Amino acid sequence: MKKLTALIFFALFSLSGYTQTTAEPISDATYESKNRVKKLYNDALQSIKAVNYSKAQTYLNQVISADSGFAIGYLERGKVLLQLDKKELALADFNKCLQLNNKEGEAYYEKGYISFLQNKYDDALLDFNAAITNNYTEPIAYYHRGVVKMVKEDYSGANLDFTNAIDKRSNFAYAYHDRASSKLKMKDYAGAQADYEKAIQLQPKFVLAYNNLGVVKLEQADYKAAIASFTKATELNPDFYLAFNNRGQAYYFSGDKQSAINDFTKALSIRPDYLSALNNLGAAQLDEKDAKSALANFNKAIELNSQFGTAYVNRGSLKESSGDLKGAYTDWQSAAKLGNKQATDYLNEYK
Amino acid sequence: MSIINIRIILLAIVFQCFTYSYVSAQNNIRIPRSSLKVTNEGLLEAMQNVADGDKWVRKGKGAIPKAIESYKKAYDYNNNCAELNMKIALCYLRSDQKHKAIDYLKASYNKDSTIHKDGLLLLGKAYQYNLEFDKAVEKYTEFYKMLKLREQKKYAEQVFKSIQECKTGIDMVKKPNRAVFINLGDSINSSFDDYNSLVIHNDSMMYFTSRRPSGKRPRPDKLLNMYDEDIYVAYKKNTDWQKAKFLEDDNFNTKRNDAIVWVSTDGNTRYLFDGYRHNGDILVSNFKKGKWSNPKKLGRKFNTDFSETSISVTKDGNTIYFVSNDQDESFGGKDIYFARKNKKGRWDSPANIGAVLNSKYNEEAVSLSPDGKTMYFSSCGHNGMGGYDVFRSEMDAIGNWMKPENVGYPINTPDDDLFYRPTEIPKIAYYSARRNDTHGGFDIYKVIYLGEEKKMILSTEDQLIAYFDKPIAEIFARKAMPLNIETPKVENEFYLRGMITDVKRKTAVVAKIELIDIERSQVIATTITSETGRYDLKIPEMKNYGIEVRAKDYMFYMDIVNIPAKPASKEMWKSVALTKIEVGSKIVLKNIYFESGKAKLTPASSTELDKLVTFLQDNNEIKVEISGHTDNVGSAALNTKLSGLRAQAVVDYLFVHSIPREQLVSKGYGSLQPISPNTTSKGRQLNRRVEFKILSKE
């Protein structure tokens, strides 16, 4: 019976994370032992504060060695291990923490973050949900859950999470940026523009925000504004091939095919295996009656990635216009097998 | 009229829609010696060249290229002779390159507008051939206005028809078919007329008619200087047509003119044109028991004393459509007729198909689609754009043929476009025309209709999530709270006491003092100084505390107070001299930490920086300089760079936390402004600092 009481006491003590008080008398030895663990833990926090994670890990190892039921010890050590890029060990600590205290919201968050890093978005979403349910309501938790929802194409859900993150941290540029992106996906162009602009106001060198603001303008067929925004992005980062490709599109749709060709070519000079630019360059070249170069670029895109449906569609269209219907049909069939609806429509024309 | 002459006229009609006689026009032009003469030298030779050209023209259409060659030699001698220019122009109008007549017509007309009374009409026609419809209309109109009333009546129909053709042409060219034309190449086409392709067996076998020289009649006829028609056959291997072969069968390719005009879908019935009987009759031959029967006349009901030149038979063989110039029933020129088999399996009498399809001009080259629901034919009437155009008519639900539609440009041109043959493969047809890439005369082309014009699809690679551009992680987003170590209680009361004064004036300052439990990041006691600047704070536990002092118009102050575990007295003094907010005032920002050797702030800096944010928000009228300083260890240049980057990192933090950039300036001084000797480690530590200085106050 005495043994059972001792076990219960130990469990309560451990689960409490030293935050509960007990009416049981504490012996001097227990008192000292308890204080020693606390001190080690506090020393670990100081080391974390001083960005000395190795030292922090040493303290936390000692904490856990002294008290294996100390839930937040595992939590903090997991965070330190994660900082040291030891994800698997960190995950084990977060799981241990939750095993000891399944209400520890922060452990769910960290666990979710590891799943997120490993592209396990369903698992990440479950853990982020659990984190927030268990009162871990830091802006970053909402932000990461929003990102996962974006990846899963739940744009309205993502939008709400980014809004929560912003409510909790009014200068959270990333949250503004990504909320803008969720609005862009939902075709709320005015809202997207406002949020991208806010992100830029908070981070004036936010290259991606300039790029995506350009995308908003591209969607609105405001090619002049789109070109200006993409240009700003390329000025801030001259190696940002994505912005060159996007500006090329803005030029293309505004009818300036030669400038488009220049930009697609520039994007490819930065990243020669950039499929979108290869395809787009081919498209612009075909419009400029340079079918030979266009075909070479479509071929190269397909050679680099045989799953690139758009290049098949365009190559098929090129072949069709030259009278090679069999070739066109074969390419469209390839694209249709990859799920390209446009290719299916084209094939139907010849049924 | 001889048999030969009849045949030639019958066959020639098929390829001549424009009623103007270039032949007679040509023969009427004489070139006076005086008109040709430029110098004596070369004159005789030029005159001989003109005579040669005239001779070739008289030999007929087949000799036109040679006529042009001869005239061109004379043209080299004198290119400004109105008559010679006209002769060359008329030759070109009879050639495969009709548009080339334009320059010669213009030269002739400009030199002497009386050389040919129809000069403007011909120029209009040349422009029309060249798709310059507006200019063509202009010339036709000009021509017509210059005519006398009596002549206007003579030319009215021709001129107005030509103008209407141009208007149709303008519309057609604006909305071209999306189609590609594939010249079937040397395997099928020759430098002579090749036409009337009949493709069977799922686009794998073709009969056609050609006027190329054959072994049976190696010389051209005497009137047109063209070779007889013969039947050729070609087979497709994989996707390519193999070399066409002369159909070696004396029943079909005789020593005379032989043309094939239709083949049944199963390939077992051939229909032939015989220009030697009754002005042109249709013959038929069947393939039975492994051989072809002798071609026989299709029947008196079909073959009249007039000319029957083309035929199309439905797949079931029960309906025949054919072309005849039967003057009794015609709406004008050649018309389409039809006949059906009755219940007894005999042909009813043929009847004119009616005015919906037949115009007052020639119809020719009738051809049914494989399902028999669409009829294609060529016509010089309806809304054509010049010459024979191909038209299409659909059969309605009750079997009537609907109003024909022009199949459009570029299948149709102002020249003759004939023998349009749809195939069993949708969007593929064959037809005969003189296009720019002709091998000579009519060539056979494969027409492939394309679907809707395909716009190029641009591909976009989204990067809409900032995290994926530059990942952020806040592993220590929520700072863990230090645990309260149960220290012995203070048995006797212990106080922190001190004076708050102005650093320059040494006068008392009324300030708010906060005592902060560092481990918990909590304010545990607050007090206000007395008028004398004194404060007293009761210390609950013997450990280290943070202290923050704030006063209106003064810069904030933060520090750590080390309370001894076993104090010698009951109090400890901590006096603070505050710096007034005024231009030039500066303080060292304590508790700002960077990663070693880098300009990256550590999380531990946030407490001090957040206080600075609050201070700057409360005093948004001041502009400050954030300066970085180092000790004198290492390269001066690197120290200056590092101190500058660290100062900028602080400025970036403040900016991100909503402090306007205009309020902030960063500067790195390196080791230039020490506040302590660099000779000791403590001195060097003090020198490694970030300072805050007020630059202006508005």
Side-chain angles (χ1 to χ4, degrees):
Chain A
M1 188 63 193
K2 269 186 177 178
K3 197 174 181 181
L4 183 63
T5 309
L7 280 171
I8 292 169
F9 168 70
F10 181 71
L12 283 170
F13 182 73
S14 302
L15 286 169
S16 73
Y18 292 83
T19 57
Q20 301 286 316
T21 56
T22 173
E24 293 291 327
I26 304 170
S27 68
D28 288 347
T30 307
Y31 188 84
E32 271 185 33
S33 167
K34 196 174 138 190
N35 266 355
R36 182 172 164 268
V37 171
K38 283 182 179 180
K39 183 158 188 326
L40 285 168
Y41 178 79
N42 288 350
D43 288 344
L45 297 189
Q46 285 296 322
S47 296
I48 290 168
K49 200 171 178 183
V51 202
N52 190 341
Y53 299 121
S54 300
K55 198 171 179 183
Q57 187 187 355
T58 305
Y59 282 129
L60 289 164
N61 286 344
Q62 291 171 7
V63 167
I64 289 163
S65 175
D67 183 353
S68 60
F70 190 34
I72 58 172
Y74 288 103
L75 172 62
E76 289 305 314
R77 190 173 70 174
K79 286 156 71 178
V80 166
L81 289 167
L82 192 53
Q83 193 69 49
L84 295 170
D85 201 25
K86 296 175 182 172
K87 293 188 190 67
E88 293 307 318
L89 291 174
L91 185 61
D93 272 356
F94 298 137
N95 281 329
K96 183 68 180 174
C97 172
L98 289 168
Q99 186 188 336
L100 294 167
N101 178 10
N102 64 4
K103 298 290 182 190
E104 184 52 69
E106 191 174 0
Y108 284 113
Y109 165 74
E110 300 295 354
K111 194 163 163 266
Y113 183 63
I114 291 175
S115 296
F116 174 78
L117 291 176
Q118 295 169 336
N119 300 332
K120 296 174 185 171
Y121 297 115
D122 289 334
D123 292 347
L125 186 59
L126 285 174
D127 281 330
F128 290 148
N129 285 341
I132 291 167
T133 305
N134 285 289
N135 299 318
Y136 189 74
T137 54
E138 293 292 314
I140 196 71
Y142 283 109
Y143 174 74
H144 275 137
R145 190 170 73 172
V147 170
V148 170
K149 287 178 180 175
M150 281 288 282
V151 173
K152 293 172 71 65
E153 299 182 0
D154 171 12
Y155 302 120
S156 59
N159 185 282
L160 279 176
D161 275 344
F162 295 136
T163 300
N164 276 323
I166 291 165
D167 287 346
K168 289 175 176 295
R169 187 186 298 168
S170 60
N171 59 359
F172 199 167
Y174 268 38
Y176 276 110
H177 177 278
D178 290 6
R179 187 171 73 175
S181 298
S182 71
K183 289 176 179 176
L184 172 60
K185 285 289 186 184
M186 293 190 291
K187 302 194 185 305
D188 171 12
Y189 299 125
Q193 180 178 340
D195 274 353
Y196 282 134
E197 286 173 348
K198 179 69 179 176
I200 290 167
Q201 183 196 334
L202 291 168
Q203 281 190 28
K205 294 182 180 176
F206 204 157
V207 177
L208 196 62
Y210 278 111
N211 176 72
N212 289 332
L213 181 58
V215 173
V216 172
K217 293 296 169 190
L218 199 57
E219 290 286 342
Q220 292 175 305
D222 183 354
Y223 303 122
K224 194 176 169 188
I227 289 165
S229 204
F230 294 134
T231 299
K232 183 73 181 172
T234 59
E235 285 168 359
L236 288 169
N237 181 2
D239 290 331
F240 193 27
Y241 56 86
L242 208 70
F244 282 110
N245 184 52
N246 286 337
R247 191 174 68 179
Q249 291 191 51
Y251 279 126
Y252 180 94
F253 290 121
S254 68
D256 184 355
K257 302 286 169 69
Q258 193 50 54
S259 294
I261 286 172
N262 293 343
D263 270 355
F264 296 141
T265 305
K266 175 71 181 174
L268 285 167
S269 73
I270 299 166
R271 189 180 146 188
D273 63 345
Y274 186 19
L275 295 179
S276 288
L278 275 171
N279 172 73
N280 296 346
L281 178 59
Q285 285 167 331
L286 188 59
D287 285 353
E288 292 289 274
K289 312 294 179 203
D290 183 2
K292 190 178 170 189
S293 301
L295 182 63
N297 282 311
F298 294 143
N299 285 343
K300 189 173 177 187
I302 290 166
E303 193 180 302
L304 285 168
N305 183 357
S306 60
Q307 306 297 303
F308 189 26
T310 308
Y312 281 110
V313 176
N314 283 339
R315 190 172 73 176
S317 300
L318 182 155
K319 288 178 179 174
E320 186 211 40
S321 63
S322 66
D324 176 12
L325 282 194
K326 192 176 175 186
Y329 204 82
T330 305
D331 273 347
W332 290 337
Q333 274 183 324
S334 299
K337 278 181 193 167
L338 293 169
N340 190 298
K341 189 182 171 304
Q342 190 70 64
T344 308
D345 291 345
Y346 289 172
L347 288 170
N348 286 338
E349 279 186 19
Y350 286 92
K351 274 187 178 172
Chain B
M1 190 177 279
S2 72
I3 289 174
I4 289 175
N5 284 353
I6 291 168
R7 168 176 58 81
I8 289 166
I9 290 168
L10 290 172
L11 295 175
I13 287 169
V14 172
F15 304 111
Q16 185 66 53
C17 195
F18 184 45
T19 55
Y20 192 87
S21 172
Y22 299 115
V23 181
S24 58
Q26 190 117 28
N27 291 339
N28 292 336
I29 297 170
R30 277 189 58 255
I31 305 181
R33 181 188 174 96
S34 58
S35 181
L36 187 62
K37 183 180 176 183
V38 181
T39 59
N40 284 332
E41 189 182 350
L43 175 60
L44 282 177
E45 193 181 345
M47 289 178 70
Q48 183 57 50
N49 289 330
V50 171
D52 290 346
D54 290 345
K55 183 186 75 182
W56 287 118
V57 167
R58 284 193 296 274
K59 279 183 178 286
K61 189 173 183 294
I64 289 298
K66 287 183 176 172
I68 292 173
E69 197 179 319
S70 294
Y71 287 140
K72 284 282 190 72
K73 287 177 183 168
Y75 184 83
D76 288 341
Y77 166 76
N78 181 2
N79 64 6
N80 199 27
C81 172
E83 293 87 346
L84 179 58
N85 273 289
M86 180 56 73
K87 279 179 179 287
I88 296 173
L90 288 167
C91 282
Y92 272 123
L93 285 170
R94 296 178 68 191
S95 76
D96 297 336
Q97 298 171 303
K98 295 180 169 54
H99 62 283
K100 286 193 174 175
I102 293 173
D103 288 341
Y104 298 97
L105 286 167
K106 281 161 68 178
S108 173
Y109 192 80
N110 290 340
K111 175 78 175 174
D112 183 351
S113 63
T114 65
I115 290 299
H116 198 302
K117 65 183 177 61
D118 297 343
L120 286 173
L121 178 70
L122 294 169
L123 184 55
K125 204 70 196 169
Y127 278 129
Q128 186 177 347
Y129 282 128
N130 203 36
L131 302 176
E132 293 180 84
F133 297 113
D134 289 330
K135 287 183 182 174
V137 170
E138 186 185 314
K139 295 302 168 193
Y140 288 141
T141 307
E142 199 179 331
F143 168 75
Y144 190 73
K145 283 181 179 171
M146 289 173 65
L147 293 174
K148 293 176 181 170
L149 189 61
R150 193 181 70 251
E151 286 183 308
Q152 281 186 340
K153 285 180 183 171
K154 177 184 164 192
Y155 280 98
E157 181 179 352
Q158 185 179 348
V159 170
F160 293 142
K161 182 175 188 297
S162 295
I163 290 173
Q164 186 53 48
E165 286 171 353
C166 289
K167 289 179 178 173
T168 301
I170 289 168
D171 291 340
M172 295 283 175
V173 169
K174 278 181 189 167
K175 295 175 284 185
N177 282 294
R178 262 179 52 80
V180 289
F181 299 84
I182 299 173
N183 187 306
L184 295 192
D186 295 340
S187 300
I188 303 295
N189 292 315
S190 68
S191 57
F192 301 87
D193 285 333
D194 306 287
Y195 48 90
N196 203 358
S197 51
L198 297 158
V199 178
I200 55 172
H201 299 332
N202 200 25
D203 199 28
S204 66
M205 180 181 177
M206 176 192 288
Y207 291 103
F208 65 97
T209 301
S210 178
R211 302 193 77 152
R212 68 190 70 177
S214 72
K216 290 195 174 177
R217 262 183 85 88
R219 280 201 296 273
D221 65 55
K222 289 180 179 172
L223 189 63
L224 289 180
N225 206 38
M226 294 172 78
Y227 292 94
D228 274 348
E229 293 175 314
D230 283 315
I231 302 166
Y232 283 77
V233 61
Y235 297 91
K236 194 186 265 184
K237 190 175 180 184
N238 297 324
T239 56
D240 300 322
W241 287 106
Q242 303 300 295
K243 187 75 181 171
K245 291 180 179 170
F246 180 82
L247 185 62
E248 293 287 0
D249 187 326
D250 290 343
N251 282 329
F252 296 97
N253 273 331
T254 65
K255 289 181 179 177
R256 302 193 306 186
N257 189 83
D258 303 290
I260 190 161
V261 288
W262 189 253
V263 178
S264 62
T265 308
D266 60 10
N268 289 334
T269 307
R270 293 170 179 166
Y271 297 86
L272 313 164
F273 173 71
D274 181 356
Y276 292 85
R277 303 184 197 196
H278 306 110
N279 295 327
D281 278 356
I282 304 290
L283 309 182
V284 62
S285 170
N286 294 305
F287 187 73
K288 284 181 182 173
K289 296 180 180 176
K291 64 178 186 179
W292 288 96
S293 62
N294 288 335
K296 290 181 180 173
K297 197 172 159 184
L298 188 56
R300 188 65 191 166
K301 284 180 180 175
F302 301 100
N303 290 317
T304 64
D305 288 337
F306 300 100
S307 173
E308 283 73 39
T309 50
S310 72
I311 187 169
S312 185
V313 185
T314 55
K315 201 170 184 177
D316 61 9
N318 289 333
T319 308
I320 280 179
Y321 297 89
F322 64 101
V323 170
S324 172
N325 67 346
D326 187 335
Q327 298 299 314
D328 296 339
E329 294 188 42
S330 172
F331 288 91
K334 292 181 175 181
D335 275 5
I336 302 169
Y337 292 75
F338 77 104
R340 291 195 181 99
K341 273 185 184 169
N342 58 28
K343 289 177 182 174
K344 292 178 181 176
R346 293 179 183 166
W347 291 107
D348 285 338
S349 293
N352 188 305
I353 204 165
V356 174
L357 298 191
N358 289 322
S359 69
K360 62 190 282 191
Y361 301 98
N362 283 343
E363 274 68 44
E364 186 51 274
V366 62
S367 182
L368 288 170
S369 63
D371 66 1
K373 298 284 178 64
T374 308
M375 182 190 292
Y376 293 88
F377 62 96
S378 294
S379 172
C380 296
H382 298 297
N383 60 328
M385 61 193 290
Y388 275 107
D389 272 13
V390 178
F391 289 84
R392 172 182 53 226
S393 173
E394 305 285 340
M395 182 186 276
D396 69 13
I398 56 171
N400 292 326
W401 292 105
M402 297 166 72
K403 187 182 174 189
E405 291 177 355
N406 189 312
V407 299
Y409 175 81
I411 292 150
N412 284 324
T413 65
D415 205 344
D416 296 322
D417 306 290
L418 288 147
F419 302 114
Y420 185 94
R421 305 294 189 197
T423 69
E424 290 174 84
I425 302 170
K427 295 181 181 283
I428 290 181
Y430 291 87
Y431 93 131
S432 309
R434 290 179 289 239
R435 302 182 69 86
N436 288 340
D437 59 349
T438 176
H439 290 70
F442 277 83
D443 270 9
I444 297 170
Y445 290 84
K446 183 177 185 178
V447 183
I448 302 174
Y449 286 93
L450 306 180
E452 288 292 311
E453 185 171 2
K454 311 293 185 299
K455 284 188 177 172
M456 286 287 98
I457 302 169
L458 297 198
S459 56
T460 306
E461 196 174 297
D462 271 354
Q463 195 167 331
L464 295 177
I465 300 172
Y467 177 89
F468 294 130
D469 186 42
K470 284 183 185 167
I472 50 162
E474 293 185 13
I475 293 166
F476 301 101
R478 185 164 69 181
K479 287 172 193 159
M481 297 295 289
L483 298 176
N484 185 19
I485 293 171
E486 295 176 30
T487 52
K489 297 292 178 195
V490 179
E491 291 182 2
N492 299 309
E493 289 184 341
F494 185 84
Y495 287 91
L496 180 67
R497 294 190 168 114
M499 297 289 290
I500 309 297
T501 55
D502 182 299
V503 70
K504 280 186 181 173
R505 297 168 188 81
K506 312 296 182 194
T507 52
V509 174
V510 176
K512 181 182 177 184
I513 299 105
E514 289 180 346
L515 189 68
I516 301 160
D517 184 328
I518 300 168
E519 292 167 348
R520 294 173 175 275
S521 292
Q522 281 181 343
V523 175
I524 57 168
T526 306
T527 188
I528 306 285
T529 58
S530 66
E531 288 181 358
T532 61
R534 173 166 171 157
Y535 73 92
D536 299 281
L537 278 168
K538 190 177 179 181
I539 300 298
E541 292 180 53
M542 305 309 285
K543 62 179 186 180
N544 295 344
Y545 291 92
I547 183 172
E548 183 181 343
V549 183
R550 286 199 212 184
K552 190 171 185 299
D553 298 330
Y554 284 87
M555 294 168 76
F556 70 98
Y557 177 90
M558 279 187 75
D559 204 354
I560 292 171
V561 181
N562 301 311
I563 305 293
K566 293 180 179 176
S569 66
K570 291 184 178 177
E571 61 183 20
M572 178 178 168
W573 277 79
K574 173 73 178 172
S575 292
V576 176
L578 291 179
T579 304
K580 193 138 192 169
I581 299 172
E582 54 192 12
V583 175
S585 297
K586 61 181 176 184
I587 59 168
V588 174
L589 293 171
K590 297 177 180 175
N591 308 316
I592 302 287
Y593 304 102
F594 294 94
E595 288 186 10
S596 178
K598 297 180 182 173
K600 187 175 178 186
L601 288 161
T602 67
S605 308
S606 59
T607 307
E608 180 91 1
L609 290 170
D610 290 344
K611 293 292 178 192
L612 186 54
V613 168
T614 306
F615 173 78
L616 290 170
Q617 283 171 341
D618 292 344
N619 297 279
N620 58 10
E621 77 283 7
I622 63 171
K623 182 176 181 179
V624 300
E625 176 192 87
I626 305 294
S627 58
H629 303 266
T630 65
D631 56 28
N632 68 348
V633 177
S635 147
L638 287 178
N639 282 338
T640 304
K641 185 180 178 186
L642 179 62
S643 62
L645 291 173
R646 285 181 166 178
Q648 184 60 45
V650 172
V651 165
D652 288 345
Y653 184 96
L654 297 173
F655 177 72
V656 167
H657 288 74
S658 306
I659 303 302
R661 204 170 274 282
E662 302 74 40
Q663 214 177 328
L664 306 167
V665 171
S666 72
K667 191 157 185 181
Y669 290 97
S671 59
L672 295 175
Q673 295 182 358
I675 55 171
S676 162
N678 279 307
T679 50
T680 64
S681 62
K682 189 173 180 184
R684 287 192 293 274
Q685 188 183 358
L686 288 169
N687 286 334
R688 294 193 295 271
R689 69 197 190 280
V690 176
E691 276 186 2
F692 169 96
K693 178 181 171 184
I694 295 176
L695 295 178
S696 65
K697 185 181 175 190
E698 292 177 358

